[in-house]
Amino acid sequence: MHKLTDRVDEALLVRVGAAAGGVEGVRAATHVRARWSGSQAYADLHIVVDPLISVSAGHALAEEARARVLEAVPECGDALIHVDVDFED
């Protein structure tokens, strides 16, 4: 019933955030959410990176984070990752 109503287990969200946040150069994974489509979950999240890196480097970090999420969370069919900068630096 939970899958029919798009309810995603909190543990899955934690695993997605931990996988993305574990990439070297990613300072944090935030705004993690997901929804079900059939038997797969689709995640949306933000990663926080150094504001002084290039756009290309930020994109590379997002791609690495996406790959890590898909590897670490097999029930996740895809992940959309938005890059935010850490202005606290």
Side-chain angles (χ1 to χ4, degrees):
M1 181 65 141
H2 290 168
K3 286 185 180 180
L4 292 175
T5 59
D6 276 349
R7 182 173 174 196
V8 176
D9 187 337
E10 184 69 27
L12 185 137
L13 299 177
V14 169
R15 289 173 34 223
V16 167
V23 172
E24 186 175 339
V26 173
R27 295 183 175 181
T30 64
H31 301 89
V32 181
R33 58 189 178 165
R35 65 199 172 287
W36 287 104
S37 180
S39 63
Q40 294 188 314
Y42 291 85
D44 298 294
L45 62 143
H46 294 216
I47 58 171
V48 180
V49 301
D50 183 332
L52 299 179
I53 65 172
S54 68
V55 172
S56 296
H59 180 76
L61 287 173
E63 285 298 314
E64 175 70 20
R66 179 181 173 273
R68 293 269 185 98
V69 167
L70 298 181
E71 180 182 321
V73 187
E75 61 267 50
C76 192
D78 202 3
L80 177 64
I81 301 179
H82 176 80
V83 179
D84 287 332
V85 295
D86 183 359
F87 288 114
E88 299 294 320
D89 197 24

Coordinates of all heavy atoms in Angstrom, one line a residue:
M1 N 0.8 -1.2 0.0 CA 0.0 0.0 0.0 C 0.9 1.3 0.0 O 0.5 2.2 -0.7 CB -0.9 0.0 1.2 CG -1.8 1.2 1.3 SD -3.0 1.2 -0.1 CE -4.4 1.7 0.7
H2 N 2.0 1.2 0.7 CA 2.9 2.4 0.8 C 3.4 2.8 -0.6 O 3.5 4.0 -0.9 CB 4.0 2.2 1.8 CG 3.5 2.2 3.2 ND1 4.4 1.7 4.2 CD2 2.4 2.5 3.8 CE1 3.7 1.8 5.3 NE2 2.5 2.2 5.1
K3 N 3.7 1.8 -1.4 CA 4.3 2.1 -2.7 C 3.2 2.8 -3.6 O 3.5 3.6 -4.4 CB 4.8 0.9 -3.4 CG 6.1 0.4 -2.8 CD 6.7 -0.7 -3.6 CE 8.0 -1.2 -3.0 NZ 8.6 -2.3 -3.7
L4 N 2.0 2.4 -3.4 CA 0.9 3.0 -4.2 C 0.7 4.4 -3.9 O 0.2 5.2 -4.7 CB -0.4 2.2 -4.0 CG -0.4 0.8 -4.6 CD1 -1.7 0.1 -4.2 CD2 -0.3 0.8 -6.1
T5 N 1.0 4.8 -2.7 CA 0.8 6.2 -2.2 C 2.2 7.0 -2.2 O 2.3 8.1 -1.7 CB 0.2 6.3 -0.8 OG1 1.1 5.6 0.1 CG2 -1.2 5.6 -0.8
D6 N 3.2 6.4 -2.9 CA 4.5 7.1 -3.0 C 5.2 7.2 -1.6 O 6.2 8.0 -1.5 CB 4.5 8.4 -3.7 CG 4.5 8.3 -5.2 OD1 4.8 7.2 -5.7 OD2 4.3 9.3 -5.9
R7 N 4.8 6.5 -0.6 CA 5.5 6.6 0.7 C 6.8 5.9 0.6 O 6.8 4.7 0.3 CB 4.6 6.1 1.8 CG 5.3 6.2 3.1 CD 4.3 5.8 4.2 NE 5.0 5.9 5.5 CZ 4.6 5.3 6.6 NH1 3.4 4.7 6.6 NH2 5.3 5.4 7.7
V8 N 7.9 6.6 0.9 CA 9.2 6.0 0.9 C 9.7 5.8 2.3 O 9.6 6.8 3.1 CB 10.2 6.8 0.0 CG1 11.6 6.3 0.1 CG2 9.7 6.9 -1.4
D9 N 10.2 4.7 2.6 CA 10.8 4.4 3.9 C 11.9 5.3 4.2 O 12.8 5.6 3.4 CB 11.3 2.9 3.9 CG 11.7 2.4 5.2 OD1 12.1 3.2 6.1 OD2 11.7 1.2 5.4
E10 N 11.9 5.9 5.4 CA 13.0 6.8 5.8 C 14.4 6.2 5.7 O 15.3 6.9 5.4 CB 12.7 7.2 7.3 CG 13.7 8.3 7.8 CD 13.6 9.6 7.1 OE1 12.5 10.0 6.7 OE2 14.6 10.4 7.1
A11 N 14.5 4.9 5.9 CA 15.8 4.2 5.8 C 16.3 4.3 4.4 O 17.6 4.4 4.2 CB 15.7 2.7 6.3
L12 N 15.5 4.2 3.4 CA 15.9 4.3 2.0 C 16.5 5.7 1.8 O 17.5 5.9 1.2 CB 14.8 4.0 1.1 CG 15.2 4.0 -0.4 CD1 14.6 2.8 -1.1 CD2 14.8 5.3 -1.1
L13 N 15.8 6.7 2.3 CA 16.3 8.1 2.1 C 17.6 8.3 2.8 O 18.5 9.0 2.3 CB 15.2 9.1 2.7 CG 13.9 9.1 2.0 CD1 12.9 10.1 2.7 CD2 14.0 9.4 0.5
V14 N 17.8 7.7 4.0 CA 19.1 7.8 4.7 C 20.2 7.2 3.9 O 21.3 7.7 3.7 CB 19.0 7.2 6.1 CG1 20.3 7.1 6.7 CG2 18.0 8.1 7.0
R15 N 19.9 6.0 3.3 CA 20.9 5.3 2.5 C 21.3 6.1 1.2 O 22.4 6.2 0.8 CB 20.4 3.9 2.1 CG 20.3 3.0 3.3 CD 19.7 1.6 3.0 NE 19.9 1.1 1.7 CZ 18.9 0.5 1.0 NH1 17.7 0.4 1.5 NH2 19.1 0.0 -0.2
V16 N 20.3 6.7 0.6 CA 20.6 7.6 -0.6 C 21.5 8.7 -0.2 O 22.5 9.0 -0.8 CB 19.2 8.1 -1.2 CG1 19.5 9.2 -2.2 CG2 18.5 6.9 -1.9
G17 N 21.1 9.4 0.9 CA 21.9 10.6 1.4 C 23.3 10.2 1.8 O 24.3 10.9 1.4
A18 N 23.4 9.0 2.4 CA 24.8 8.6 2.8 C 25.6 8.2 1.6 O 26.8 8.5 1.6 CB 24.6 7.4 3.8
A19 N 25.1 7.6 0.6 CA 25.8 7.2 -0.6 C 26.3 8.5 -1.3 O 27.5 8.6 -1.6 CB 25.0 6.4 -1.5
A20 N 25.4 9.4 -1.5 CA 25.8 10.7 -2.2 C 26.8 11.5 -1.3 O 27.8 12.0 -1.8 CB 24.6 11.5 -2.5
G21 N 26.5 11.6 0.0 CA 27.4 12.4 0.9 C 28.8 11.8 1.1 O 29.7 12.4 1.5
G22 N 28.9 10.5 0.7 CA 30.2 9.8 0.9 C 31.2 10.1 -0.2 O 32.4 9.6 -0.2
V23 N 30.8 10.8 -1.2 CA 31.7 11.1 -2.4 C 32.7 12.2 -1.9 O 32.3 13.2 -1.4 CB 30.9 11.6 -3.6 CG1 31.8 12.1 -4.7 CG2 30.0 10.4 -4.1
E24 N 34.0 12.0 -2.2 CA 35.0 12.9 -1.8 C 34.7 14.2 -2.6 O 34.5 14.2 -3.8 CB 36.4 12.4 -2.2 CG 37.5 13.3 -1.7 CD 38.9 12.8 -1.9 OE1 39.0 11.6 -2.0 OE2 39.8 13.6 -1.9
G25 N 34.7 15.3 -1.9 CA 34.3 16.6 -2.5 C 32.9 17.1 -2.3 O 32.6 18.2 -2.4
V26 N 32.1 16.1 -1.9 CA 30.7 16.5 -1.5 C 30.7 16.7 0.0 O 31.0 15.9 0.8 CB 29.7 15.3 -1.9 CG1 28.3 15.6 -1.3 CG2 29.7 15.1 -3.4
R27 N 30.3 17.9 0.4 CA 30.3 18.3 1.8 C 29.0 17.8 2.5 O 29.1 17.6 3.7 CB 30.4 19.8 1.9 CG 31.7 20.3 1.4 CD 31.9 21.8 1.6 NE 33.2 22.2 1.1 CZ 33.7 23.5 1.2 NH1 32.9 24.4 1.7 NH2 34.9 23.7 0.8
A28 N 27.9 17.7 1.8 CA 26.7 17.2 2.4 C 25.7 16.8 1.3 O 25.8 17.3 0.2 CB 26.1 18.3 3.3
A29 N 24.8 15.9 1.7 CA 23.7 15.6 0.8 C 22.4 16.1 1.6 O 22.2 15.8 2.7 CB 23.6 14.1 0.6
T30 N 21.6 16.9 0.9 CA 20.5 17.6 1.6 C 19.2 17.4 0.7 O 19.3 17.0 -0.4 CB 20.7 19.1 1.8 OG1 20.9 19.7 0.6 CG2 22.0 19.3 2.7
H31 N 18.1 17.8 1.3 CA 16.8 17.7 0.6 C 16.6 16.4 -0.1 O 16.1 16.4 -1.3 CB 16.7 18.9 -0.5 CG 16.9 20.2 0.1 ND1 18.1 20.8 0.3 CD2 16.0 21.1 0.6 CE1 18.0 22.0 0.8 NE2 16.7 22.2 1.1
V32 N 16.9 15.3 0.5 CA 16.7 14.0 0.0 C 15.3 13.6 0.0 O 14.6 13.6 1.0 CB 17.6 13.0 0.7 CG1 17.4 11.6 0.1 CG2 19.0 13.4 0.8
R33 N 14.8 13.2 -1.2 CA 13.4 12.7 -1.2 C 13.3 11.7 -2.4 O 14.2 11.6 -3.2 CB 12.4 13.9 -1.5 CG 12.7 14.6 -2.8 CD 11.8 15.8 -2.9 NE 12.2 16.5 -4.1 CZ 11.5 17.5 -4.7 NH1 10.3 17.8 -4.1 NH2 11.9 18.0 -5.8
A34 N 12.3 10.9 -2.4 CA 12.1 9.9 -3.4 C 10.7 9.5 -3.6 O 9.8 9.9 -2.7 CB 12.9 8.6 -3.0
R35 N 10.4 8.9 -4.7 CA 9.0 8.5 -4.9 C 9.1 7.1 -5.6 O 10.1 6.8 -6.3 CB 8.3 9.5 -5.8 CG 8.9 9.6 -7.2 CD 8.4 10.9 -7.8 NE 9.2 11.1 -9.1 CZ 10.4 11.5 -9.2 NH1 11.2 11.7 -8.1 NH2 11.0 11.7 -10.3
W36 N 8.1 6.4 -5.6 CA 8.0 5.0 -6.2 C 7.4 5.1 -7.6 O 6.4 5.9 -7.8 CB 7.2 4.0 -5.4 CG 7.9 3.6 -4.1 CD1 7.7 4.0 -2.9 CD2 9.0 2.7 -4.1 NE1 8.6 3.4 -2.0 CE2 9.4 2.6 -2.7 CE3 9.7 1.9 -5.0 CZ2 10.4 1.7 -2.3 CZ3 10.7 1.1 -4.6 CH2 11.1 1.0 -3.2
S37 N 7.9 4.4 -8.5 CA 7.3 4.2 -9.8 C 7.4 2.7 -10.1 O 8.6 2.2 -10.4 CB 8.0 5.0 -10.9 OG 7.4 4.8 -12.1
G38 N 6.4 2.0 -9.9 CA 6.4 0.5 -10.0 C 7.3 -0.1 -8.9 O 7.1 0.3 -7.7
S39 N 8.3 -0.9 -9.2 CA 9.1 -1.5 -8.2 C 10.4 -0.7 -7.9 O 11.2 -1.2 -7.1 CB 9.5 -2.9 -8.6 OG 10.2 -2.9 -9.8
Q40 N 10.5 0.5 -8.5 CA 11.8 1.2 -8.3 C 11.5 2.6 -7.7 O 10.4 3.2 -8.0 CB 12.5 1.4 -9.6 CG 13.0 0.1 -10.2 CD 13.9 0.4 -11.4 OE1 13.5 1.2 -12.3 NE2 15.0 -0.3 -11.4
A41 N 12.4 3.0 -6.9 CA 12.3 4.4 -6.3 C 13.2 5.3 -7.1 O 14.2 4.9 -7.7 CB 12.9 4.3 -4.8
Y42 N 12.7 6.5 -7.2 CA 13.4 7.6 -8.0 C 13.7 8.7 -7.0 O 12.8 9.3 -6.4 CB 12.6 8.0 -9.2 CG 12.6 7.0 -10.2 CD1 11.6 6.0 -10.2 CD2 13.5 6.9 -11.2 CE1 11.6 4.9 -11.1 CE2 13.5 5.9 -12.2 CZ 12.5 4.9 -12.1 OH 12.5 3.9 -13.0
A43 N 15.0 9.0 -6.8 CA 15.5 9.9 -5.8 C 15.8 11.3 -6.4 O 16.2 11.4 -7.6 CB 16.7 9.4 -5.1
D44 N 15.5 12.3 -5.6 CA 15.9 13.7 -5.9 C 16.7 14.2 -4.7 O 16.2 14.0 -3.6 CB 14.7 14.6 -6.1 CG 13.9 14.2 -7.3 OD1 14.4 14.3 -8.4 OD2 12.7 13.8 -7.1
L45 N 17.8 14.8 -4.9 CA 18.6 15.4 -3.8 C 19.5 16.5 -4.2 O 19.7 16.7 -5.4 CB 19.3 14.3 -3.1 CG 20.4 13.5 -3.9 CD1 21.6 13.2 -3.0 CD2 19.8 12.3 -4.5
H46 N 20.0 17.2 -3.2 CA 21.0 18.2 -3.5 C 22.3 17.8 -2.9 O 22.3 17.1 -1.8 CB 20.6 19.5 -2.8 CG 19.4 20.1 -3.4 ND1 19.2 21.5 -3.5 CD2 18.2 19.6 -3.9 CE1 18.0 21.8 -4.0 NE2 17.4 20.6 -4.2
I47 N 23.4 18.1 -3.5 CA 24.7 17.9 -2.9 C 25.3 19.3 -2.7 O 25.1 20.2 -3.5 CB 25.7 17.0 -3.7 CG1 25.9 17.5 -5.1 CG2 25.2 15.6 -3.7 CD1 27.0 16.8 -5.9
V48 N 26.1 19.5 -1.6 CA 26.7 20.8 -1.3 C 28.2 20.6 -1.6 O 28.8 19.7 -1.1 CB 26.5 21.2 0.2 CG1 27.1 22.5 0.5 CG2 25.0 21.2 0.5
V49 N 28.7 21.6 -2.4 CA 30.1 21.5 -2.8 C 30.8 22.8 -2.5 O 30.2 23.9 -2.3 CB 30.3 21.1 -4.3 CG1 29.6 19.8 -4.6 CG2 29.7 22.2 -5.2
D50 N 32.1 22.8 -2.6 CA 33.0 24.0 -2.5 C 32.5 25.1 -3.6 O 32.5 24.7 -4.7 CB 34.4 23.7 -2.7 CG 35.4 24.8 -2.5 OD1 35.0 26.0 -2.7 OD2 36.5 24.5 -2.1
P51 N 32.3 26.3 -3.2 CA 31.9 27.3 -4.2 C 33.0 27.7 -5.2 O 32.7 28.3 -6.2 CB 31.5 28.5 -3.3 CG 32.2 28.4 -2.1 CD 32.4 26.9 -1.8
L52 N 34.2 27.3 -4.9 CA 35.3 27.7 -5.8 C 35.7 26.7 -6.9 O 36.6 26.9 -7.7 CB 36.5 28.1 -5.0 CG 36.3 29.2 -4.0 CD1 37.6 29.5 -3.2 CD2 35.9 30.5 -4.7
I53 N 35.0 25.6 -6.9 CA 35.3 24.6 -7.9 C 34.5 25.0 -9.2 O 33.6 25.8 -9.2 CB 34.9 23.1 -7.5 CG1 33.4 23.0 -7.3 CG2 35.6 22.7 -6.3 CD1 32.9 21.6 -7.1
S54 N 35.0 24.5 -10.3 CA 34.4 24.8 -11.6 C 33.1 24.1 -11.8 O 32.7 23.2 -11.1 CB 35.3 24.4 -12.8 OG 35.4 22.9 -12.8
V55 N 32.3 24.6 -12.8 CA 31.0 24.0 -13.1 C 31.3 22.5 -13.5 O 30.5 21.6 -13.1 CB 30.3 24.8 -14.2 CG1 29.1 24.0 -14.7 CG2 29.9 26.1 -13.7
S56 N 32.3 22.3 -14.3 CA 32.6 20.9 -14.7 C 32.9 20.0 -13.5 O 32.5 18.9 -13.5 CB 33.8 20.9 -15.7 OG 33.6 21.6 -16.8
A57 N 33.7 20.5 -12.6 CA 34.0 19.7 -11.4 C 32.7 19.4 -10.6 O 32.5 18.3 -10.1 CB 35.0 20.4 -10.5
G58 N 31.8 20.4 -10.5 CA 30.6 20.2 -9.8 C 29.7 19.2 -10.5 O 29.1 18.3 -9.8
H59 N 29.7 19.2 -11.8 CA 29.0 18.2 -12.6 C 29.5 16.8 -12.4 O 28.8 15.9 -12.2 CB 29.0 18.6 -14.1 CG 28.2 17.7 -14.9 ND1 26.9 17.6 -15.0 CD2 28.7 16.7 -15.8 CE1 26.5 16.7 -15.8 NE2 27.6 16.1 -16.3
A60 N 30.9 16.7 -12.4 CA 31.5 15.4 -12.2 C 31.2 14.9 -10.8 O 31.0 13.7 -10.7 CB 33.0 15.6 -12.3
L61 N 31.1 15.7 -9.8 CA 30.8 15.3 -8.4 C 29.3 14.8 -8.4 O 29.0 13.8 -7.8 CB 30.9 16.4 -7.4 CG 32.4 16.7 -7.0 CD1 32.4 17.9 -6.1 CD2 33.0 15.5 -6.4
A62 N 28.4 15.5 -9.1 CA 27.0 15.0 -9.2 C 26.9 13.7 -9.9 O 26.2 12.8 -9.5 CB 26.2 16.1 -9.9
E63 N 27.7 13.5 -11.0 CA 27.7 12.2 -11.7 C 28.2 11.1 -10.8 O 27.7 9.9 -10.8 CB 28.5 12.3 -13.0 CG 27.7 13.0 -14.1 CD 26.4 12.3 -14.4 OE1 26.4 11.1 -14.6 OE2 25.4 13.0 -14.6
E64 N 29.3 11.3 -10.0 CA 29.8 10.4 -9.1 C 28.8 10.0 -8.0 O 28.7 8.9 -7.6 CB 31.2 10.9 -8.5 CG 31.8 10.0 -7.5 CD 32.3 8.7 -8.0 OE1 32.6 8.6 -9.2 OE2 32.5 7.7 -7.2
A65 N 28.2 11.0 -7.5 CA 27.2 10.8 -6.4 C 26.0 10.0 -7.0 O 25.6 9.1 -6.3 CB 26.7 12.2 -5.9
R66 N 25.6 10.3 -8.2 CA 24.5 9.5 -8.8 C 24.9 8.0 -8.9 O 24.1 7.1 -8.6 CB 24.2 10.1 -10.2 CG 23.1 9.3 -10.9 CD 22.8 9.9 -12.3 NE 21.9 9.1 -13.0 CZ 22.2 8.1 -13.8 NH1 23.5 7.8 -13.9 NH2 21.3 7.4 -14.4
A67 N 26.1 7.8 -9.4 CA 26.6 6.4 -9.6 C 26.7 5.7 -8.2 O 26.3 4.5 -8.1 CB 28.0 6.4 -10.2
R68 N 27.1 6.4 -7.2 CA 27.2 5.8 -5.9 C 25.8 5.4 -5.3 O 25.6 4.4 -4.7 CB 27.9 6.7 -4.9 CG 29.3 7.0 -5.2 CD 30.2 6.0 -4.4 NE 31.6 6.3 -4.6 CZ 32.4 7.0 -3.8 NH1 31.9 7.4 -2.6 NH2 33.6 7.3 -4.1
V69 N 24.9 6.3 -5.6 CA 23.5 6.1 -5.1 C 23.0 4.8 -5.8 O 22.4 3.9 -5.1 CB 22.6 7.3 -5.3 CG1 21.1 6.9 -5.1 CG2 22.9 8.4 -4.4
L70 N 23.1 4.8 -7.1 CA 22.6 3.6 -7.8 C 23.2 2.3 -7.5 O 22.6 1.3 -7.5 CB 22.7 3.9 -9.3 CG 21.9 5.1 -9.8 CD1 22.0 5.2 -11.3 CD2 20.4 5.0 -9.5
E71 N 24.5 2.4 -7.1 CA 25.2 1.2 -6.7 C 24.8 0.8 -5.3 O 24.6 -0.4 -5.0 CB 26.7 1.5 -6.7 CG 27.6 0.3 -6.3 CD 29.1 0.7 -6.3 OE1 29.5 1.4 -7.3 OE2 29.8 0.2 -5.4
A72 N 24.7 1.7 -4.4 CA 24.5 1.4 -3.0 C 23.0 1.1 -2.7 O 22.7 0.5 -1.7 CB 24.9 2.6 -2.1
V73 N 22.1 1.6 -3.5 CA 20.7 1.5 -3.2 C 20.0 0.8 -4.5 O 19.5 1.5 -5.4 CB 20.0 2.8 -2.9 CG1 18.6 2.6 -2.5 CG2 20.8 3.6 -1.9
P74 N 20.1 -0.5 -4.5 CA 19.7 -1.2 -5.8 C 18.2 -1.0 -6.1 O 17.9 -1.1 -7.3 CB 19.9 -2.7 -5.5 CG 20.6 -2.8 -4.1 CD 20.6 -1.4 -3.5
E75 N 17.4 -0.7 -5.2 CA 16.0 -0.4 -5.5 C 15.7 1.0 -6.0 O 14.6 1.3 -6.4 CB 15.1 -0.7 -4.3 CG 15.3 0.1 -3.1 CD 16.3 -0.5 -2.1 OE1 17.4 -1.0 -2.5 OE2 16.0 -0.5 -0.9
C76 N 16.8 1.7 -6.1 CA 16.7 3.1 -6.7 C 17.0 3.0 -8.2 O 18.1 2.6 -8.6 CB 17.7 4.0 -6.0 SG 17.5 5.7 -6.4
G77 N 16.0 3.3 -9.0 CA 16.1 3.2 -10.5 C 16.9 4.4 -11.1 O 17.5 4.3 -12.1
D78 N 16.9 5.6 -10.4 CA 17.6 6.7 -10.9 C 17.6 7.8 -9.8 O 16.9 7.7 -8.9 CB 16.9 7.3 -12.2 CG 17.9 8.1 -13.0 OD1 19.1 8.2 -12.7 OD2 17.5 8.7 -14.0
A79 N 18.6 8.7 -10.0 CA 18.7 9.8 -9.0 C 19.0 11.1 -9.8 O 19.8 11.1 -10.7 CB 19.8 9.5 -8.1
L80 N 18.2 12.1 -9.4 CA 18.4 13.4 -10.0 C 19.1 14.3 -8.9 O 18.6 14.4 -7.8 CB 17.1 14.1 -10.4 CG 17.1 15.5 -10.9 CD1 17.9 15.5 -12.2 CD2 15.7 16.0 -11.1
I81 N 20.3 14.8 -9.3 CA 21.1 15.5 -8.3 C 21.3 17.0 -8.7 O 21.8 17.3 -9.8 CB 22.4 14.8 -8.0 CG1 22.1 13.4 -7.6 CG2 23.3 15.5 -7.1 CD1 23.3 12.5 -7.4
H82 N 21.0 17.9 -7.8 CA 21.2 19.3 -7.9 C 22.4 19.7 -7.1 O 22.6 19.2 -6.0 CB 20.0 20.1 -7.4 CG 20.1 21.5 -7.5 ND1 19.9 22.3 -8.6 CD2 20.4 22.4 -6.5 CE1 20.1 23.5 -8.4 NE2 20.4 23.7 -7.1
V83 N 23.3 20.5 -7.7 CA 24.5 21.0 -7.1 C 24.3 22.3 -6.4 O 23.9 23.3 -7.1 CB 25.7 21.0 -8.1 CG1 26.9 21.5 -7.4 CG2 25.9 19.7 -8.7
D84 N 24.5 22.4 -5.1 CA 24.5 23.6 -4.4 C 25.9 24.0 -3.9 O 26.7 23.0 -3.7 CB 23.6 23.5 -3.1 CG 22.1 23.5 -3.5 OD1 21.7 24.1 -4.5 OD2 21.4 22.9 -2.7
V85 N 26.2 25.2 -3.7 CA 27.5 25.6 -3.2 C 27.4 25.9 -1.7 O 26.4 26.4 -1.2 CB 28.1 26.8 -3.9 CG1 28.4 26.3 -5.4 CG2 27.3 28.0 -3.9
D86 N 28.5 25.7 -1.0 CA 28.6 26.0 0.5 C 29.2 27.4 0.6 O 30.3 27.6 0.5 CB 29.5 24.9 1.1 CG 29.5 25.1 2.6 OD1 28.9 26.0 3.2 OD2 30.2 24.3 3.2
F87 N 28.3 28.4 0.9 CA 28.8 29.7 1.1 C 29.3 30.0 2.5 O 29.8 31.1 2.8 CB 27.6 30.7 0.8 CG 27.3 30.8 -0.6 CD1 26.0 30.4 -1.1 CD2 28.2 31.3 -1.6 CE1 25.7 30.5 -2.5 CE2 27.9 31.4 -2.9 CZ 26.6 31.0 -3.4
E88 N 29.3 29.0 3.3 CA 29.9 29.1 4.7 C 31.4 29.1 4.7 O 32.0 29.3 5.7 CB 29.3 28.0 5.6 CG 27.8 28.1 5.8 CD 27.3 29.3 6.5 OE1 28.0 29.8 7.5 OE2 26.3 29.9 6.0
D89 N 32.0 28.6 3.6 CA 33.4 28.4 3.5 C 34.2 29.7 3.5 O 33.9 30.7 3.0 CB 33.7 27.6 2.2 CG 35.1 27.0 2.2 OD1 35.6 26.8 3.3 OD2 35.6 26.8 1.2

